[in-house]
Amino acid sequence: MQQTPDELRHIEALLDFYAGSGVDCFLGDEPADWFELTRQQAEQRHKAHPPASQPVSRLQAGTPMPQAGVLAGGYQAPPSGAPMAGGQGTASGQSAVLPDREVIAAARDMASSAASLDELRACLEAFEGCNLKLTAKKLVFADGNPSAKLMFVGEAPGRDEDLQGKPFVGRSGQLLDRMLEAIGLDRSAAYIANVVPWRPPGNRTPTPQETEICKPFIKRQVELVNPDVLVFLGAASAKTLLGVQDGIRKMRGRWMTYPVGGRDVAAIATYHPAYLLRSPLEKRLSWRDFLAIRQKLQTGAER
Ligand code: URA
């Protein structure tokens, strides 16, 4: 049915209103029981490919990832246009992927095959195994200096980062810049990345599955940068990469180590700048952490 110009204007105004209210993805009209659908799909897959005859797919860098909907191992995604796992949908009607072991295995293989940061970025551009890519505007790979001794790892990009394709460029990024400046550094002396390189819709926390899928890429990114000092911005990145369970209050300010290619890299967690924006009194503890980081860069961390 053809819409009249008036109807089109109304639809446009309504969409504008939704966008202005922070809506950035569409859900289906009917609720879907993804637990049940996933179970049925796993059952069908199991019937079609009994485990012994279904080796885990090994993808190489440069090998195009199967499109969402036709994953390695014959996995079928939800019907086209349906909401994604985790309740997200795509405005484009593109069907989504559900994370499973094959996707994580593919992520590991792709990440480990990258011999340089450029190759790793290309792998992520080609990777279709993470739902977040469908709603994000841009891949947020990294900013700063790939040869820096200092590397920061955050959790996931927000709106500004998604628009610019660079990590920590919004308000929390500006605070991070000021904190760097306070110890005599700027982005040319640091490399900055996130555990998850695509913005979760509405800035929600990445799900454990999304984090697991993206983990091999950030691990490889740390290996390729090979910093002397690794700083986790907030508990989430420290928990993901170090496997620790402590909260940030307990963890921050303590030197730990992170293994990179047989070397123990000095690692520390500090408050996330977004938390500091909400709790400015805690800046004094962050200041201590940044002084310790400067000290470590000057004296303690040797290759
Ligand atoms: N928060 C993060 O963890 N990363 C960003 O890039 C921006 C905000």
Side-chain angles (χ1 to χ4, degrees):
M1 191 182 71
Q2 190 80 24
Q3 260 95 21
T4 65
D6 252 10
E7 282 170 338
L8 286 174
R9 260 197 304 280
H10 277 125
I11 293 171
E12 210 176 311
L14 187 63
L15 289 173
D16 232 37
F17 169 75
Y18 283 147
S21 315
V23 174
D24 58 6
C25 66
F26 290 95
L27 300 176
D29 289 337
E30 297 295 324
D33 182 348
W34 288 108
F35 292 105
E36 178 54 23
L37 279 172
T38 310
R39 195 193 59 70
Q40 286 170 7
Q41 285 161 349
E43 218 172 81
Q44 282 166 12
R45 191 168 30 149
H46 190 83
K47 272 191 206 142
H49 307 275
S53 67
Q54 187 196 0
V56 167
S57 119
R58 299 272 139 190
L59 293 185
Q60 295 300 316
T63 306
M65 265 295 284
Q67 283 300 306
V70 197
L71 273 182
Y75 177 76
Q76 289 299 311
S80 181
M84 283 192 255
Q88 310 139 39
T90 74
S92 64
Q94 203 178 355
S95 58
V97 291
L98 290 180
D100 67 5
R101 280 182 320 174
E102 288 158 29
V103 185
I104 295 172
R108 267 197 216 115
D109 287 354
M110 278 184 116
S112 64
S113 70
S116 67
L117 289 166
D118 284 345
E119 277 185 30
L120 189 66
R121 178 196 277 269
C123 284
L124 277 164
E125 299 278 10
F127 186 66
E128 300 292 346
C130 182
N131 286 343
L132 295 177
K133 189 174 183 180
L134 300 176
T135 45
K137 290 195 169 47
K138 287 199 175 145
L139 169 72
V140 178
F141 184 64
D143 194 23
N145 179 356
S147 315
K149 289 182 175 179
L150 173 62
M151 176 167 180
F152 290 96
V153 183
E155 184 179 20
R159 183 175 170 276
D160 296 313
E161 289 75 20
D162 185 42
L163 290 173
Q164 293 190 36
K166 271 191 195 169
F168 285 98
V169 290
R171 279 186 71 222
S172 50
Q174 287 155 18
L175 178 55
L176 177 62
D177 287 342
R178 289 201 294 280
M179 289 157 81
L180 275 172
E181 209 179 305
I183 56 166
L185 302 177
D186 60 22
R187 287 191 185 217
S188 68
Y191 184 86
I192 307 172
N194 282 304
V195 170
V196 169
W198 295 284
R199 179 198 182 198
N203 292 352
R204 65 161 171 75
T205 303
T207 64
Q209 290 93 333
E210 287 156 358
T211 302
E212 273 311 297
I213 288 170
C214 296
K215 189 158 97 176
F217 295 105
I218 183 65
K219 282 178 79 172
R220 185 71 186 136
Q221 209 166 352
V222 178
E223 275 170 23
L224 290 167
V225 174
N226 195 16
D228 284 350
V229 175
L230 183 60
V231 180
F232 300 107
L233 294 170
S237 58
K239 285 180 178 174
T240 302
L241 289 180
L242 294 173
V244 290
Q245 288 310 315
D246 290 340
I248 189 67
R249 277 171 198 284
K250 183 145 180 228
M251 201 186 336
R252 64 139 285 280
R254 267 197 287 136
W255 284 105
M256 302 172 273
T257 57
Y258 180 80
V260 176
R263 197 166 71 93
D264 275 343
V265 169
I268 194 168
T270 188
Y271 287 133
H272 194 290
Y275 171 72
L276 295 176
L277 288 171
R278 297 191 300 273
S279 313
L281 280 181
E282 303 284 21
K283 282 185 192 163
R284 61 209 161 88
L285 293 175
S286 294
W287 172 233
R288 275 194 216 161
D289 298 342
F290 271 67
L291 288 179
I293 291 165
R294 180 173 69 182
Q295 174 91 357
K296 187 64 94 181
L297 283 167
Q298 287 170 347
T299 59
E302 277 155 29
R303 287 196 193 239

